[in-house]
Amino acid sequence: MAKAESERAVRALATTWYDTLAEEDRKHPSFSAFKTWLSSNHYSHFLNFRSRMGADYDAEMWFDDELEQTWRR
C-alpha cells in the first residue's frame, strides 16, 4: 500500500473512530485502542506501508495530528 493512501485512510478513520467514543474516552484518545479498532473492522491493511521510522510511528503521528493532540509528543 502507498504511504500517501494509508495517510488519507488513517486520518479519516481516526475521526470516524473518535466519533464512536464515549465522552469520557474522548479526553485522551488512545492510538493502541484505535489500532485494535482498525483490526477488528478489517482496516489493519492501512498500516502496511514502507516507512523509514516504521508504519506504526507514522500512523500514530497522523492519528495525533488529526485528533489535535500533537502536544502529547
Side-chain angles (χ1 to χ4, degrees), residues 7-61:
E7 180 178 1
R8 285 189 299 274
V10 167
R11 287 178 178 277
L13 290 167
T15 301
T16 300
W17 170 80
Y18 182 81
D19 290 342
T20 68
L21 296 177
E23 191 65 35
E24 181 65 27
D25 295 331
R26 289 181 180 208
K27 292 179 183 176
H28 299 289
S30 163
F31 180 70
S32 178
F34 173 63
K35 276 185 62 174
T36 299
W37 180 85
L38 287 175
S39 181
S40 64
N41 287 281
H42 309 289
Y43 293 124
S44 60
H45 62 280
F46 288 117
L47 299 178
N48 295 325
F49 57 89
R50 293 177 65 178
S51 167
R52 186 177 310 163
M53 297 299 292
D56 279 358
Y57 179 86
D58 287 343
E60 188 169 2
M61 290 288 290

